[in-house]
Structure formats: structure tokens, C-alpha cells
Amino acid sequence: GNSVTQMEGPVTLSEEAFLTINCTYTATGYPSLFWYVQYPGEGLQLLLKATKADDKGSNKGFEATYRKETTSFHLEKGSVQVSDSAVYFCALSPFSFGGSQGNLIFGKGTKLSVKP
Amino acid sequence: DAGITQSPRHKVTETGTPVTLRCHQTENHRYMYWYRQDPGHGLRLIHYSYGVKDTDKGEVSDGYSVSRSKTEDFLLTLESATSSQTSVYFCAIMGGSRGSPGAYEQYFGPGTRLTVT
């Protein structure tokens, strides 16, 4: 079946540190991959996505590359800020011929805290 | 802003009572979803809809029903609330990017925090 595994948190970093949050997936077919971010008390916001192997999604200084050979989609940022403190979710959308229900399958989330 | 609202935003109810949560969208999207978010589980799909009166079950549908009588509204009903249904509930819509269906992005509402005592 389809599943997403991401590193458990919480992750605590100092401002300007390098961030990596690991995400690996299991899927049949050719899934699309997403990172969502949830700030305290809010809903999820799409951070970035990649739809095929070797695609790199990027947004707000965050990047993730769709690696089919390692079934991974690790999130990286070169220099985090206090405002990046949030919970980050890796997710996949399975693709199935004949129609897709389009639902997302989420990892459990990684809480990031950035200290000044 | 995908124009998604959820109501109520917070609710406390007693075990055994029925509860209905509402999701409203303003942009005529075909696909709508209900997820629940629980610590240690991420988000899990409860039910989804692919059109008016067209709905199907997700991963954790037991104890929940849904209805969609018009495009803009998707209702989630807990027939008889239990403490295990204490959670944060998110509605989502699927955006309309072209290409593979799997490439469609989802946009989420602000959530409803439900407590069942």
C-alpha cells in the first residue's frame, strides 16, 4: 500500500542553521509528492510539490527533490528563521489509472522549533 | 486563499449526541475531503466527495457520514459522538492544476476542534 514515513521530532535549531527533514515513501505507480506546513492554530498550507522523478520543488527558501531511486523527498532549507517554527508534513498523492480520488496520504508530521 | 470556511471552529459535545460539521467553499471545486488530525497520526482521510451526491469512504470512516447536496457545501456528521472522535477536523478541496490527477494540490480550511466529553 501507500505510506509516508518522516523523521520524528521535535527538531530544535538555532536561527540560521541548516534544516533537513527526512521523508521516504512507499507507493505503487507514480505518486506526486508534497510538503505542507502548519503554523500554530492554523490549517495546512502547501509549501512545495514535485510531480515526477528528479523534479525539485522550492518555495520560501525550502527545497525538496523527488528521488525515485531512494523513494525519498527530503525537505531542506539553508538558513532557518524563527518564523519557520511550525509542523511540517510530507504527503503523497497516489496516481491510479481510471481516475483518482485525489486524496493525500500524510506522514505523521515533524515539529520544528527555531530559537533566536 | 482557496475560499474554504469551516463551522463551527470549536465545539464541545457530550458522548452519544449527534454532531454536524460544515465545510463551505466558494470556488466551485469538484473534489472535497474531510480529514482528522491526531497527535502521532498526521492527517487521515475520513470521507471524500467527487461531486454533488457523490461520496466515498476513506481510511477512518467508521462512525462518520457525509452529505453533499450542493457543490459548495460538504457536511460531516458524527451520528453518535464518542470520546475517540475528539480531534481536529480539516476540510480540503482539490485544486485544478492540469496534468496527472495525482498532481492536484489540496487546500485546507482552518479546522474545527471537536471535544467529546
Side-chain angles (χ1 to χ4, degrees):
Chain A
N2 301 304
S3 65
V4 174
T5 302
Q6 63 181 102
M7 63 185 288
E8 294 190 17
V11 174
T12 302
L13 296 174
S14 297
E15 206 165 24
E16 299 184 2
F18 184 85
L19 168 71
T20 300
I21 300 178
N22 291 335
C23 172
T24 57
Y25 68 90
T26 301
T28 54
Y30 306 96
S32 292
L33 302 173
F34 304 85
W35 277 100
Y36 280 82
V37 58
Q38 184 179 34
Y39 298 102
E42 298 184 9
L44 278 72
Q45 300 176 25
L46 177 64
L47 181 60
L48 54 83
K49 74 170 189 178
T51 59
K52 60 184 186 295
D54 299 325
D55 267 3
K56 177 185 283 188
S58 61
N59 187 26
K60 299 181 181 179
F62 291 89
E63 294 182 341
T65 301
Y66 187 161
R67 301 285 189 200
K68 193 167 177 64
E69 64 276 11
T70 55
T71 62
S72 65
F73 193 54
H74 305 321
L75 182 69
E76 297 182 335
K77 187 175 186 183
S79 176
V80 294
Q81 305 300 312
V82 172
S83 58
D84 294 326
S85 297
V87 180
Y88 292 81
F89 292 92
C90 185
L92 71 83
S93 178
F95 176 83
S96 61
F97 292 97
S100 169
Q101 63 191 34
N103 65 292
L104 294 176
I105 295 168
F106 286 87
K108 295 181 179 180
T110 302
K111 184 175 181 180
L112 170 67
S113 295
V114 180
K115 307 299 184 186
Chain B
D1 183 1
I4 306 167
T5 57
Q6 293 184 233
S7 59
R9 294 292 314 278
H10 301 270
K11 186 169 181 67
V12 179
T13 192
E14 294 185 349
T15 298
T17 60
V19 177
T20 295
L21 309 183
R22 179 181 184 240
C23 177
H24 179 78
Q25 56 134 335
T26 59
E27 298 186 1
N28 208 35
H29 294 285
R30 180 182 173 196
Y31 283 82
M32 299 183 74
Y33 305 85
W34 277 108
Y35 293 89
R36 60 178 287 174
Q37 182 181 22
D38 303 289
H41 290 278
L43 277 80
R44 293 176 292 174
L45 181 69
I46 305 171
H47 281 278
Y48 69 100
S49 170
Y50 46 97
V52 173
K53 294 190 168 63
D54 292 323
T55 65
D56 206 348
K57 297 178 179 179
E59 176 189 357
V60 291
S61 60
D62 287 349
Y64 301 94
S65 62
V66 290
S67 66
R68 191 161 177 208
S69 59
K70 45 187 178 176
T71 300
E72 58 265 37
D73 288 326
F74 191 31
L75 305 181
L76 176 71
T77 297
L78 289 66
E79 304 290 347
S80 177
T82 68
S83 58
S84 64
Q85 294 175 312
T86 292
S87 187
V88 181
Y89 292 85
F90 287 100
C91 175
I93 60 92
M94 185 164 71
S97 59
R98 294 188 180 277
S100 159
Y104 285 19
E105 301 149 10
Q106 288 194 14
Y107 299 96
F108 286 79
T112 295
R113 183 173 295 277
L114 176 68
T115 302
V116 183
T117 61

